[in-house]
Amino acid sequence: MVIAELEMARVQTVVDLGCGDGKLLSRLMKEKQLTQLVGLDVSVRVLEIAAERLRLDRLPQRQRERIQLLHGGLTYRDARIEGFDAATAIEVIEHLDENRLVAFERVLFQCARPGLVIVTTPNVEYNIHYSFLPPGQFRHPDHRFEWTRAAFAAWGQRVATTFGYGVRFVPVGTVDATVGPPTQMAVFTRDDLQGGEA
Ligand code: SAH
């Protein structure tokens, strides 16, 4: 899903924000058109796991030069994540305190300003299908919030309008007729790239 969007936009450089243990990065490594990949996370532990998963110490030099893991946070401006064609934040925003989300928006959409931004987050409406979850409980203890489709759409529209991006919303996973998909994705395209080549 995410990879298809990156392919469609013909991006060459991607920064994966809150990359975790490197699941997406390991798949992106196989995409030959991608020339530079960076993963950033606040947790040293998950970055160690990512380095192992990606076998960073065993990669041939040309592959090794394509990828970098960075320790850092998402709510302070960071020059290392600027200048990329695309940024992804996969199941990350719900880990940020809602009052820090505004800082993240500025860091990403105002300072880093990639042409394409892909954000995914759980659709809380779908939680009724998880019988193990007591009503009102989130999917993960570290989640600070989980949004309905309407809440995510409102957030995405506001961010897009504020920072000069267009946005569309894409369901991820099997769509339930009533409550929608388990995961929701927003694809932001910077206004100067809309309708043209990324
Ligand atoms: N994108 C990965 C991981 C999602 S879990 C995946 O899809 O598998 C959320 C990740 O965000 C965790 O690895 C966590 O360490 C990271 N994270 C949470 N708050 C952060 C912050 N303020 N700055 C950077 N990373 C953060």
Side-chain angles (χ1 to χ4, degrees), residues 18-20 23 40-43 46 72-74 90-92 95-96:
C19 64
K23 216 173 300 152
L40 177 126
D41 205 285
V42 77
S43 161
V46 298
L74 291 172
I90 307 304
E91 305 294 281
V92 169
H95 292 265
L96 304 176

Side-chain angles (χ1 to χ4, degrees), residues 58-77:
R58 274 165 282 170
L59 285 180
Q61 189 175 349
R62 273 194 54 202
Q63 292 301 318
R64 186 65 193 84
E65 284 167 359
R66 279 174 76 212
I67 183 152
Q68 216 184 338
L69 296 177
L70 301 175
H71 180 224
L74 291 172
T75 56
Y76 295 91
R77 184 174 184 180

Side-chain angles (χ1 to χ4, degrees), residues 3-194:
I3 293 175
E5 292 290 342
L6 295 172
E7 267 175 10
M8 253 189 319
R10 302 204 191 129
V11 303
Q12 293 190 310
T13 61
V14 181
V15 57
D16 187 24
L17 304 170
C19 64
D21 60 13
K23 216 173 300 152
L24 178 62
L25 288 171
S26 67
R27 296 189 50 195
L28 295 179
M29 278 295 278
K30 302 196 176 95
E31 300 289 319
K32 299 212 163 42
Q33 76 278 14
L34 299 175
T35 56
Q36 198 196 352
L37 295 169
V38 167
L40 177 126
D41 205 285
V42 77
S43 161
V44 171
R45 181 70 197 122
V46 298
L47 289 173
E48 285 169 359
I49 298 170
E52 270 169 42
R53 180 198 284 267
L54 295 160
R55 300 170 204 271
L56 284 195
D57 55 348
R58 274 165 282 170
L59 285 180
Q61 189 175 349
R62 273 194 54 202
Q63 292 301 318
R64 186 65 193 84
E65 284 167 359
R66 279 174 76 212
I67 183 152
Q68 216 184 338
L69 296 177
L70 301 175
H71 180 224
L74 291 172
T75 56
Y76 295 91
R77 184 174 184 180
D78 188 336
R80 298 173 302 172
I81 65 165
E82 291 170 16
F84 286 83
D85 295 340
T88 51
I90 307 304
E91 305 294 281
V92 169
I93 58 170
E94 65 276 8
H95 292 265
L96 304 176
D97 285 326
E98 259 182 290
N99 63 357
R100 299 301 292 148
L101 198 55
V102 182
F104 169 68
E105 291 164 18
R106 277 200 299 267
V107 165
L108 176 54
F109 291 94
Q110 186 175 310
C111 303
R113 238 180 139 58
L116 185 80
V117 177
I118 298 177
V119 175
T120 76
T121 197
N123 164 22
V124 70
E125 296 165 78
Y126 196 88
N127 287 3
I128 57 161
H129 287 297
Y130 300 132
S131 50
F132 57 88
L133 272 186
Q137 191 163 315
F138 296 144
R139 295 180 199 179
H140 190 282
D142 192 47
H143 286 179
R144 310 301 156 88
F145 59 86
E146 286 179 357
W147 281 342
T148 60
R149 284 168 291 174
F152 186 50
W155 175 80
Q157 295 289 359
R158 177 181 58 74
V159 166
T161 309
T162 306
F163 297 103
Y165 281 75
V167 63
R168 57 198 167 76
F169 298 91
V170 183
V172 180
T174 310
V175 178
D176 177 282
T178 314
V179 297
T183 302
Q184 36 188 354
M185 175 162 85
V187 182
F188 298 88
T189 306
R190 210 173 57 214
D191 278 347
D192 60 295
L193 299 173
Q194 296 260 41

